[in-house]
Amino acid sequence: SHLTGADELVHTDTTETPPATWPELFAVQVRRQPDAVAVVYEDTALTYAQLDERANRLAHALIARGAGLERVVGLCLPRSADLIVAEVAVLKAGGAYLPIDPEYPAERIGYLLADAAPICVVTTTELQSTLDTGTGVARVLLDDPEFVAELAGRPAAEPTGSERGGLLTPAGAAYVIYTSGSTGRPKGVVVSHSGVAKLLATATERLAVGPHSRVLQFASPSFDVAFFDLCNGLLTGGRLVVVPADRRVPGPPLTEYAHAHGATFMILPPALLAAMP
């Protein structure tokens, strides 16, 4: 795991970083600068307070459907601000999110659903057909008018330990990533919150990521680098700039977007980086 590699780098430090969960570290930034922009996707911008409230409401809705500690929630969403809200919501609910790329072959999506057995999958009306793999998983449609109305009535406060089903600790599951399957069947890897504080220390102490930073979120959510982006952008007080799907190509579409949003930090494949001006 790329995250493990970063974590091992921090283990060489002489000072210990107190363990913490992702929601705890995010709450610090919400209290510090609620009106600062947290997420940008094209012309959409959410402040830390707005992202926090939206994620809290969705977290409560997911808990009502069975989400909680050590429970997996699938996310089959397009690249958007809603995708980031959903990731944060699952973390706040105490569960582990499972990114499902809607462009995956039906066979792989079916395998992920059968193997991880998520309590539900958050998706959209347009993408829900990609989940028709015979597993019968429950679906939460973010753009369904009834669900939109439900969210408006859900609490804006973060779920409590009793609502999550217990105390969320650093040992708890945060997300699930599947290997490529190139050596056989894909294998699910459950990543806990335990390395998040040290990962954050790496970003702030060694990479100088902070409130001034504009982190380009280029990687697929199905790749663990995307979680590093999530931490770098939202746990440092910086800004997460989500790259639209049609701009995830080398050349002007990507460079113009990065420039327009003042990107200061990005993790890119070497081949794509070589094509950048």
Side-chain angles (χ1 to χ4, degrees):
S1 165
H2 292 268
L3 297 187
T4 302
D7 194 25
E8 288 171 351
L9 284 176
V10 182
H11 277 302
T12 62
D13 290 345
T14 57
T15 57
E16 280 297 316
T17 303
T21 64
W22 202 98
E24 287 174 335
L25 294 169
F26 178 67
V28 171
Q29 299 304 329
V30 175
R31 289 192 298 268
R32 282 180 178 171
Q33 46 179 11
D35 297 326
V37 174
V39 176
V40 170
Y41 173 75
E42 293 188 324
D43 295 330
T44 299
L46 298 177
T47 65
Y48 274 86
Q50 290 171 330
L51 173 58
D52 188 56
E53 180 179 332
R54 290 194 189 189
N56 286 339
R57 293 186 189 278
L58 179 55
H60 283 285
L62 294 175
I63 287 172
R65 289 161 173 76
L69 300 186
E70 303 300 309
R71 298 288 184 88
V72 177
V73 176
L75 302 180
C76 183
L77 295 166
R79 297 181 65 85
S80 59
D82 285 339
L83 172 61
I84 306 303
V85 171
E87 290 174 346
V88 176
V90 177
L91 293 167
K92 282 175 170 285
Y97 69 83
L98 167 67
I100 302 170
D101 191 330
E103 295 186 0
Y104 278 163
E107 182 181 359
R108 182 176 173 91
I109 291 177
Y111 176 81
L112 299 188
L113 294 176
D115 191 59
I119 56 105
C120 65
V121 176
V122 181
T123 187
T124 64
T125 302
E126 182 179 357
L127 293 179
Q128 67 169 326
S129 61
T130 63
L131 304 174
D132 294 338
T133 59
T135 54
V137 65
R139 301 166 192 183
V140 177
L141 304 181
L142 279 185
D143 55 348
D144 180 83
E146 288 188 12
F147 186 68
V148 172
E150 176 190 336
L151 286 179
R154 291 291 180 185
E158 183 164 318
T160 63
S162 60
E163 290 170 325
R164 289 169 172 159
L167 179 65
L168 178 61
T169 70
Y175 67 98
V176 181
I177 291 287
Y178 274 77
T179 63
S180 63
S182 57
T183 58
R185 286 195 145 192
K187 298 175 181 62
V189 180
V190 180
V191 183
S192 73
H193 291 257
S194 61
V196 173
K198 291 180 182 294
L199 194 67
L200 186 59
T202 297
T204 56
E205 296 169 14
R206 301 188 178 194
L207 305 177
V209 181
H212 63 283
S213 299
R214 305 292 180 259
V215 178
L216 200 70
Q217 206 287 297
F218 176 88
S220 163
S222 298
F223 185 34
D224 58 2
V225 162
F227 186 74
F228 195 19
D229 289 336
L230 195 71
C231 294
N232 288 340
L234 301 181
L235 302 186
T236 65
R239 182 179 303 177
L240 191 65
V241 179
V242 181
V243 179
D246 59 357
R247 290 181 180 267
R248 291 183 71 241
V249 292
L254 178 61
T255 55
E256 290 172 3
Y257 188 79
H259 180 68
H261 292 288
T264 62
F265 184 98
M266 60 186 78
I267 302 175
L268 300 172
L272 188 145
L273 184 62
M276 298 279 276

